Structure formats: structure tokens, C-alpha cells
Amino acid sequence: VSFFESINYGIPTVVVPLSKSKNINELKIIQNEKVALVGKDMKVSVNILKDLMDNDKLANKISNRARQKMHGNGCDLFINKITKIVAA
């Protein structure tokens, strides 16, 4: 399961960047929209995940926020994003 699918279904998620220099803009959007938590590296992400697992209130908040923002079928959202990029 990808992090996108987890977010789409409201599963509280911690996103781990694969590289410090890649996907910076996407990670900022995820963090700013508060649909998932973002760690700066693997070690930090593990600690964030541990905290998330211990904090039901935060997990519920992220889950609800993700469901509100990511309404609809994930495939439909993906197709919409691609269509907008191609049309631009």
C-alpha cells in the first residue's frame, strides 16, 4: 500500500522522504494540508510514527483531515491531476 492510498482512506500516515533533495514541494504540501505527518529522514520518521501510535487524538485528527481533503476514489483523483498537468 502506498502512502497515497493510506492517506486517501484516512489511515494516519507518516511520509518518509526517499531523498532530502527530491519531492520537497510535495512533502511541504502534505505537511501544510495536515493529511499526514512528514519526517525529515528515517530515524525522525520512526519517532514520529511511535508518537502517532501513542496519540489517538492526533491520529483521529489526521484521519479526519485526510478524508476531508482526499474525498473520492484515488484513481479518479490521480486521473484529474494528470489531466490538469497535460492541459496546462
Side-chain angles (χ1 to χ4, degrees):
V1 174
S2 72
F3 77 89
F4 182 78
E5 290 166 317
S6 295
I7 293 170
N8 190 52
Y9 290 106
I11 299 169
T13 304
V14 177
V15 180
V16 182
L18 298 176
S19 167
K20 290 183 181 183
S21 62
K22 293 183 179 179
N23 301 10
I24 294 169
N25 292 332
E26 291 85 354
L27 293 172
K28 284 182 183 178
I29 291 169
I30 290 169
Q31 192 166 20
N32 290 341
E33 292 294 328
K34 299 177 183 168
V35 295
L37 299 175
V38 178
K40 67 179 185 177
D41 59 32
M42 186 63 73
K43 186 174 181 178
V44 170
S45 298
V46 169
N47 288 328
I48 292 171
L49 178 59
K50 181 190 172 299
D51 292 341
L52 178 61
M53 291 169 57
D54 291 338
N55 188 336
D56 290 338
K57 186 175 179 179
L58 177 60
N60 285 328
K61 185 176 179 180
I62 292 170
S63 178
N64 291 332
R65 179 82 174 169
R67 278 190 235 134
Q68 289 172 356
K69 290 285 185 176
M70 303 293 287
H71 54 82
N73 180 298
C75 292
D76 292 340
L77 291 171
F78 183 66
I79 290 168
N80 280 337
K81 297 285 185 193
I82 290 177
T83 301
K84 287 179 183 178
I85 290 169
V86 171

